[in-house]
Each structure stands twice: as structure tokens, then as C-alpha cells.
Amino acid sequence: MKRIGFLKQGSQKSKRYILVVAAIVTLLFTTSLSNPKALLAEQQHETGQQNQTTAPPASGKSSDSDPDISEGRRPAVQCGVLKLKQSTEESIRQIPLYCVSGKFYGEEVPTNLPHKELPVLQDLPIPDSELTRWGAFFLNESSSHGYLMLAPRNWEVTTAETGMNGSVKIEMRDPSNPDIHMTYLDVGACQGCAIGMIGSYFPKMEKWADEQGFMADPPVFESRTQLNEHMVQFKLKKPAETFKTYGMAYRFVEQNNNQFTLLEIGAPEEKAQLAQTMLDFFARYPAAFAY
């Protein structure tokens, strides 16, 4: 924040002070929610435990002064809108954009707000009748990129963490039924992690992972379909989960630069279409979102 210099004339100083205070009050009123969603970081990345740095609360209050913000608990509040446009229409639609205050285990702690307005997203498969259901959740990572999730706007963010190696984990849940939840994972720069996960989720890549020196450990799939070179969709039933898991995994493979991301949604069969809409969004934006 820029420091405000003192004015020589007392009357000018008073007028400037009143204008600044009024502007701050207006900004806080127009961008905050009366009931912000809670964010609770449940665990640390193994790679980042020795150098923990957390982002400050978006409200500017310290953890000790606000009973809703404690150690490891940060708000996710509405910080604008995400604009949507169909190529067959002139009008622009929009859904709320929620900025997440994550936990960062490196030296750099970015602001939770995007540095500029996010671009208009084209041709998302969300009908007008369902716009009131959805919200966009954004974890800012730098001045040029972050992670953008689509989820029901009443869902809570329970984990949002970035390790020192660039790995990212985001978890959300339905507050009315916590067994309905979402997990996003980006293994970051950990090449061994990426190779092992690619071998675990992509058909015919298990042998490749083993040849690279990293053993695959695939889950028990109920179904698995490779959509293209980079994307696979699957369904499985985890022993500890109440519902089936609907998921997609993304890979990018080149020498010394292997990338892997994953989105999994635990939901009952009657909410399979909700899960599919979230997966379709992931298929469009499976890795860091540039803005």
C-alpha cells in the first residue's frame, strides 16, 4: 500500500483523509460477503513443512482479533465475477468469483486477489437455468497465474495449499453433506511424483513409469477411458469413501518436464451430472490458469 504524505495545509489534509476513508469503506462493502466461506488447511505438504508461510486474512485483521480466523483457517470471499460468453450469443453471463486465501510453504506469498480481471471464458457447458448454482473459486499463485475451480457456490473450501516445489492441493465440500467433496491435485515440479502418477492413471503408461525408475500404484478402477493424449476419465470406489469417485487426470510428458494434475469428486449417483460439469470445466483448465 502506498504511504500518504503529509500536506502542508491542515484543511487539505482533513479533506484528503475523509476521501480516503470513504473510498476504503465503499470498497469493503461492495466486495465482501456477509457470510464468507471458511477455509481450513487440514494438512501440510510433505515438501513444505520446514518453511511455512501463510497469507494474511483478506479482511486485514489479525488471527487473534477475529474469532472466525484462527491459525490455519482463512476466508474465501467474493472478490468479483467470472464472465462467461457463448460464441452463438452476444450477451455476457456471469457467476460469482471467490478468492481463496491459501497456505504457502515457500518464500513468496502472493496476494489472494488477481492482479487484473480474469478473461471472459468461452462456451462453457452451463445452461442459463443453472447459473445460480455455480461459483468460480480462484487460488492466486502469482501475478500471472492461479488455479480456477468450478463448484456449487455454497461449497466450502477446506484445504488450499502450495508446497515449495509448486505442488498444489485444493479440497472443497458440500456443507450440508461433507461426504460430497472435491479434491484437486497438481504435483508441481516433483518429476518422480508426476511419473508415478502418470503410470498409475493412464493406460499403457505403467511400464513407462517403471522404466523411468518410479513404480506406478494404480487404484482399482470401475471404469477408465482415455479421452485424448493428455486426459483420462475414470470412476472408482475408494474403501474409505461413502460415495463413488468421479475423476479426470491430466498429463503432459516431455524430457525433464512431466506434469500431472487430478480432479476427483465423491458424490452419489444422483449427483453424477453435477460431478460431470465440474470435470468438464477441469478438462478445459486442468493446470495453472494464466490471466
Side-chain angles (χ1 to χ4, degrees):
M1 180 179 294
K2 294 182 179 179
R3 301 180 63 184
I4 301 176
F6 289 101
L7 299 177
K8 294 182 179 181
Q9 298 298 326
S11 59
Q12 291 179 329
K13 177 180 178 181
S14 299
K15 291 180 181 178
R16 176 67 60 85
Y17 178 80
I18 292 172
L19 289 174
V20 170
V21 171
I24 293 174
V25 171
T26 301
L27 178 62
L28 292 175
F29 179 78
T30 56
T31 60
S32 64
L33 295 178
S34 58
N35 294 299
K37 294 174 170 58
L39 183 151
L40 178 63
E42 296 179 336
Q43 64 183 36
Q44 296 181 350
H45 280 298
E46 293 181 359
T47 57
Q49 291 178 348
Q50 296 180 354
N51 190 12
Q52 176 177 337
T53 309
T54 59
S59 63
K61 298 179 181 179
S62 68
S63 298
D64 296 334
S65 63
D66 191 334
D68 292 329
I69 302 175
S70 58
E71 180 63 28
R73 187 176 181 84
R74 299 291 185 266
V77 298
Q78 185 173 355
C79 54
V81 296
L82 182 68
K83 296 178 181 179
L84 315 173
K85 188 179 186 304
Q86 301 288 52
S87 57
T88 57
E89 301 176 358
E90 293 293 331
S91 60
I92 293 180
R93 305 176 297 165
Q94 61 187 35
I95 58 177
L97 177 67
Y98 301 101
C99 288
V100 178
S101 294
K103 295 187 74 174
F104 298 84
Y105 299 101
E107 296 180 358
E108 298 296 328
V109 180
T111 172
N112 65 325
L113 299 174
H115 288 28
K116 60 182 179 180
E117 185 177 359
L118 300 187
V120 178
L121 303 190
Q122 300 285 333
D123 296 323
L124 292 183
I126 304 176
D128 288 343
S129 59
E130 294 189 11
L131 283 180
T132 56
R133 165 185 286 188
W134 298 103
F137 293 79
F138 186 71
L139 176 65
N140 196 37
E141 290 283 312
S142 76
S143 62
S144 62
H145 74 272
Y147 288 85
L148 189 63
M149 309 280 110
L150 180 72
R153 63 179 65 177
N154 68 313
W155 278 27
E156 298 173 338
V157 180
T158 56
T159 303
E161 301 179 336
T162 299
M164 288 190 294
N165 65 355
S167 58
V168 174
K169 183 177 184 180
I170 301 171
E171 295 180 317
M172 300 180 66
R173 68 183 179 189
D174 182 347
S176 64
N177 187 347
D179 288 331
I180 302 175
H181 65 279
M182 178 207 86
T183 300
Y184 174 88
L185 178 67
D186 183 337
V187 301
C190 177
Q191 292 300 289
C193 304
I195 293 170
M197 294 294 276
I198 291 171
S200 298
Y201 282 85
F202 282 82
K204 302 180 181 180
M205 293 299 288
E206 189 170 348
K207 181 179 178 181
W208 168 82
D210 185 57
E211 290 173 348
Q212 306 301 311
F214 298 94
M215 184 177 298
D217 185 21
V220 179
F221 295 100
E222 282 195 6
S223 63
R224 180 171 53 163
T225 303
Q226 186 152 342
L227 305 178
N228 53 50
E229 180 184 356
H230 301 288
M231 195 77 60
V232 64
Q233 182 163 356
F234 58 87
K235 182 167 61 176
L236 50 88
K237 181 66 172 69
K238 297 181 179 180
E241 298 287 343
T242 302
F243 303 119
K244 291 183 179 181
T245 297
Y246 303 85
M248 278 190 185
Y250 165 81
R251 70 167 184 178
F252 180 81
V253 177
E254 66 178 16
Q255 188 175 7
N256 299 324
N257 182 26
N258 299 291
Q259 301 175 26
F260 178 88
T261 65
L262 174 79
L263 182 70
E264 292 186 340
I265 301 154
E269 291 188 11
E270 60 267 24
K271 291 187 177 293
Q273 184 54 53
L274 178 143
Q276 188 60 50
T277 300
M278 297 169 69
L279 291 171
D280 289 342
F281 187 89
F282 169 81
R284 296 280 192 93
Y285 309 102
F289 181 86
Y291 69 94

